[in-house]
Amino acid sequence: MANKTLAQKTNTSSIQVIKTLKVLLQGDYTMQELIEILNKNESDAIFNNSVISKYINTCRFCEFDIPKIHNKYYVAKIPFGLDLSAIDIDLIKSMCAYVHDEMSSKSVSAINSFLGKISRFSNKQIARVTKDKLEMSVELFERAVAKKRKVKLLFKNRETIKCVPLNVSKEGETLFFNVFYKNIRNIDYSRLSGIEMTGQSYINPFDDGAQVVVFKLKGNLAKRYEARPNESVEVNPDGSITITNKNENKEILFSRLLRYDDKCELIRPIAYREEMKELINSMLENYGVN
């Protein structure tokens, strides 16, 4: 009898988790809004802050990415979500534009509803900006630059702006997201609570076609390093140096950085870091090193 009661309790909790997830997939809500919506169809007010937080954490345990930004919960990624590429988004925009221009208002209403459903089940490109997970925010920002997609910056003071991402820079220990919004702005990461890559494309008027790579050298190598004409050097308090390299051939640069061994750290772009990791792992496998 006890086992049956436990099973019923477990099943009830499972249903409540699904109810919570269903609401989260319908919109971005604050905790108070979630409480009101979830209790609306219940005979008793069984949903409260503690209960909903537990159910959201259950979803997170099941690999749902649900960040809390500006006091609202966003479903950013789900295990069965749609990963829409830039090409997918452009095709959807073209289809939507055709329907709006050539078809009836009923068809426009239908496609708007359809696109709304797709957007809820597509994995959003959104990341919280926190000191311990800053690399994820930088990666998302640089991905937006590479794909030429506007970003939405969510500030801690609840301001939100949609802007053109330019690059990431660092002055001392402070990291800045550089964007164009009415004019060029350097945004201190500590002012932000979140970054979202939108589906809106742009043409960057400041893009000169050059690739900027940043890497750090330490030890004796840092002391004797001679900067190339296309490089600028910043000396760090610990004696290491940070080099900003502009427009060097990637293969040549990689070959050079590999020679520096563990005295070198490739900082960004993130895509280059990942390529370098894959290259090193491939070389280790070729030499039979685990």
Side-chain angles (χ1 to χ4, degrees), residues 179-225:
V179 303
F180 182 78
Y181 178 73
K182 298 180 181 178
N183 52 48
I184 296 177
R185 298 177 61 181
N186 301 325
I187 311 294
D188 186 332
Y189 85 91
S190 64
R191 296 179 57 204
L192 300 174
S193 56
I195 294 178
E196 179 179 358
M197 180 169 71
T198 73
Q200 187 176 352
S201 58
Y202 68 88
I203 297 175
N204 185 356
F206 306 100
D207 187 2
D208 60 3
Q211 176 63 63
V212 176
V213 179
V214 179
F215 59 95
K216 181 185 289 187
L217 301 178
K218 58 185 179 180
N220 291 329
L221 179 61
K223 295 177 182 178
R224 65 173 187 269
Y225 185 79

Side-chain angles (χ1 to χ4, degrees), residues 130-260:
T130 58
K131 190 173 183 179
D132 59 330
K133 295 184 178 179
L134 195 53
E135 187 171 310
M136 294 175 61
S137 306
V138 172
E139 181 180 1
L140 178 61
F141 188 91
E142 290 184 338
R143 198 183 309 141
V145 174
K147 292 186 175 182
K148 287 185 167 45
R149 301 286 167 182
K150 286 188 175 181
V151 296
K152 186 184 292 184
L153 300 183
L154 295 86
F155 290 81
K156 289 180 179 178
N157 64 0
R158 304 304 174 86
E159 179 190 4
T160 300
I161 64 171
K162 186 183 289 186
C163 51
V164 172
L166 300 176
N167 54 59
V168 179
S169 63
K170 194 172 183 181
E171 295 181 14
E173 296 300 315
T174 305
L175 186 138
F176 294 89
F177 293 101
N178 305 318
V179 303
F180 182 78
Y181 178 73
K182 298 180 181 178
N183 52 48
I184 296 177
R185 298 177 61 181
N186 301 325
I187 311 294
D188 186 332
Y189 85 91
S190 64
R191 296 179 57 204
L192 300 174
S193 56
I195 294 178
E196 179 179 358
M197 180 169 71
T198 73
Q200 187 176 352
S201 58
Y202 68 88
I203 297 175
N204 185 356
F206 306 100
D207 187 2
D208 60 3
Q211 176 63 63
V212 176
V213 179
V214 179
F215 59 95
K216 181 185 289 187
L217 301 178
K218 58 185 179 180
N220 291 329
L221 179 61
K223 295 177 182 178
R224 65 173 187 269
Y225 185 79
E226 294 184 7
R228 274 61 174 173
N230 62 322
E231 294 178 337
S232 60
V233 178
E234 176 188 354
V235 180
N236 303 313
D238 62 358
S240 64
I241 59 174
T242 300
I243 297 98
T244 300
N245 176 292
K246 188 174 182 180
N247 217 27
E248 184 169 348
N249 177 274
K250 183 171 69 174
E251 284 70 27
I252 295 175
L253 178 61
F254 274 22
S255 177
R256 181 157 65 89
L257 297 186
L258 283 170
R259 296 200 303 270
Y260 300 154

